[in-house]
Amino acid sequence: MKPTIPTLLLAATTLFCTAHLASAQKKTGKLQVGKPAPADLSLRNEVEHAVSKGAMWLAKQQKPEGHWGEPDYPAMTALAVSSLLNQPGAKLEAQIKKGLDFLVANVKPDGGIYNKGMSAYNTSLGMMTLMQSGDPAYKPIVLNARNFLVRHQTDIDKPGEADNAFDGGLGYTPDRGYADLSNTYLALEALYYSEQYLKNSPEHQLKMDLNWKMAIEFISKCQNRPESNPMEFAKNAPEADRGGFVYFPGQSKAGEKEQPDGKVALRSYGSMSYAGLLSFIYADMERDDPRIKAVREWLGKNYSTKENPGMGQEGLFYYYHTMGKALSILEEDTLVLPDGKKANWRADLVKRLFDLQDPQGFWLNENGRWWEKDPVLVTSYALLTLERLHSSL
């Protein structure tokens, strides 16, 4: 069983909360939401303007049937609705209601929230949006969706034992003997918050839970850290990649690096390193765990708001989304860089998003990797990031 987590609140549906996380009630050894920095009212106002403009553009992209993007992927609608839920007084209730109804219409008998494929991915994001809505009518759906994810944790050979590199994680589609860090982090996030969301509902008591020990073992096998990862690629990792994360054990989207001795190492990269940090957080690991220290050190050494470190412009807005989400949980308001200088990462990130916003209100990545030429997806990522950071500026 997963250890008891600190008391954290699910995001309210009001504007610019520290999205999905609120301050812990008392300081513990666990990772918590950071203390707010002194208010920068000018920057806050700029964020509000950018978010309002982006939200109005996004609302207009909703299809008559209630979805955003392709109907086969409810996750797109989930991200859009989550963005709009943080817009009080914007009179978007009708669009939000239609979007939520579309998600409910995609609930399957097995508990998942999906249409044609990528069932775990769509379910994780759908769960988060239904919980964020605050409507208790969705609790039975969330419980069944939670059980769907738990049932499909990868466990190939010996039940309950991490005897395969993929054991403990989740992939886009369950039951294929494959898992990756991106889908695992999203599933752990949904499971983490659903535990809180359902906690005080006797009629919706949790009867199933993830094998969190196996999940942590899978996450650790995605980290370039030979002290905790027995995989060969981690043993071969050069110093520059130590502590960072790859996509799954044996593959990095940032590619391979041949060492002078002919051994092959996998390159760490930004978005998966933040996903790895988030995964450790949702697994409720102690903040002084050496695996957490290692990834935080790698992130400091590779800090950037100009690119997804190791990937350039590929997956840039996904990177911003995971970056804003992960760093808002850390206690420090700045990141210490290799030269000893401190970066005000919140201000750097929001200003970068200002620069990238189109005058019409949307965001777009000219690099189309991972669907980021779709302005609905990218605008949702950008809005969620800005909304998260607003209150702590």
Side-chain angles (χ1 to χ4, degrees):
M1 292 289 289
K2 174 175 171 287
T4 302
I5 61 177
T7 303
L8 296 168
L9 304 177
L10 192 68
T13 56
T14 52
L15 181 61
F16 304 132
C17 59
T18 310
H20 308 314
L21 285 171
S23 296
Q25 288 184 342
K26 73 176 187 176
K27 202 168 184 178
T28 70
K30 309 293 187 191
L31 289 172
Q32 304 171 42
V33 174
K35 295 171 287 187
D40 186 331
L41 297 181
S42 174
L43 199 55
R44 282 190 184 185
N45 289 337
E46 290 182 79
V47 170
E48 291 173 19
H49 176 74
V51 167
S52 177
K53 201 169 183 179
M56 292 303 102
W57 179 89
L58 186 62
K60 293 175 183 177
Q61 310 312 307
Q62 187 178 32
K63 305 299 182 185
E65 298 80 9
H67 63 84
W68 278 263
E70 297 181 36
D72 288 346
Y73 304 106
M76 296 280 281
T77 298
L79 288 167
V81 173
S82 287
S83 303
L84 300 184
L85 277 166
N86 292 323
Q87 302 299 311
K91 298 182 179 179
L92 299 175
E93 291 86 354
Q95 291 94 327
I96 291 169
K97 177 65 165 57
K98 286 183 72 174
L100 292 170
D101 288 346
F102 177 79
L103 292 178
V104 171
N106 279 274
V107 173
K108 297 294 183 283
D110 61 8
I113 306 170
Y114 60 93
N115 191 348
K116 289 187 176 180
M118 302 201 301
S119 54
Y121 170 74
N122 285 283
T123 297
S124 297
L125 290 171
M127 283 175 66
M128 289 299 296
T129 302
L130 294 176
M131 289 188 285
Q132 187 186 347
S133 76
D135 189 338
Y138 297 133
K139 286 191 174 183
I141 296 174
V142 170
L143 178 61
N144 290 335
R146 189 182 198 283
N147 291 339
F148 172 85
L149 293 177
V150 169
R151 285 196 306 271
H152 291 100
Q153 183 179 26
T154 302
D155 192 359
I156 296 174
D157 298 317
K158 299 176 184 178
E161 296 182 23
D163 54 302
N164 183 287
F166 294 119
D167 284 351
L170 286 93
Y172 279 108
T173 302
D175 296 333
R176 289 194 176 181
Y178 154 86
D180 65 79
L181 184 56
S182 180
N183 280 288
T184 298
Y185 123 70
L186 290 170
L188 297 190
E189 181 175 68
L191 293 170
Y192 181 95
Y193 289 115
S194 65
E195 184 174 335
Q196 297 300 300
Y197 178 73
L198 300 168
K199 190 172 185 178
N200 297 318
S201 301
E203 70 277 26
H204 300 118
Q205 287 298 309
L206 307 182
K207 295 181 175 62
M208 301 175 65
D209 201 4
L210 201 73
N211 185 326
W212 289 90
K213 180 177 182 293
M214 279 178 53
I216 291 172
E217 288 193 41
F218 170 76
I219 300 160
S220 298
K221 288 176 182 174
C222 297
Q223 188 174 23
N224 263 322
R225 186 175 182 274
E227 297 86 350
S228 51
N229 184 356
M231 303 290 291
E232 195 65 28
F233 76 85
K235 296 176 184 177
N236 300 334
E239 188 62 33
D241 289 302
R242 297 271 173 117
F245 280 79
V246 301
Y247 185 59
F248 64 64
Q251 185 187 108
S252 172
K253 299 299 182 183
E256 300 178 347
K257 182 186 297 182
E258 186 173 342
Q259 302 297 82
D261 59 5
K263 294 181 179 178
V264 175
L266 300 180
R267 299 172 63 94
S268 300
Y269 61 108
S271 49
M272 281 306 99
S273 295
Y274 281 119
L277 174 57
L278 283 164
S279 297
F280 282 150
I281 291 168
Y282 298 139
D284 208 33
M285 290 172 60
E286 299 289 343
R287 66 172 297 133
D288 60 354
D289 188 287
R291 289 165 289 188
I292 288 178
K293 288 183 175 180
V295 66
R296 291 178 66 177
E297 184 177 344
W298 188 90
L299 290 167
K301 289 178 179 178
N302 293 275
Y303 173 72
S304 177
T305 58
K306 300 293 185 182
E307 63 177 9
N308 179 3
M311 299 297 297
Q313 300 305 297
E314 294 184 6
L316 182 65
F317 286 83
Y318 177 99
Y319 165 71
Y320 290 152
H321 188 216
T322 54
M323 177 186 184
K325 193 183 294 185
L327 291 183
S328 68
I329 298 173
L330 302 178
E331 288 185 324
E332 292 83 3
D333 292 318
T334 58
L335 276 180
V336 179
L337 306 183
D339 61 3
K341 294 181 180 178
K342 294 183 178 180
N344 183 340
W345 64 268
R346 292 182 181 89
D348 291 348
L349 183 51
V350 297
K351 289 174 183 177
R352 179 61 175 159
L353 287 169
F354 294 161
D355 290 343
L356 295 176
Q357 188 174 25
D358 186 272
Q360 296 181 58
F362 64 85
W363 283 265
L364 180 70
N365 189 350
E366 291 299 331
N367 188 301
R369 191 80 187 273
W370 298 303
W371 297 5
E372 289 208 356
K373 275 194 175 181
D374 186 332
V376 167
L377 176 65
V378 170
T379 299
S380 297
Y381 282 154
L383 288 174
L384 289 167
T385 304
L386 290 172
E387 290 164 358
R388 170 179 290 275
L389 299 183
H390 172 271
S391 64
S392 58
L393 290 171

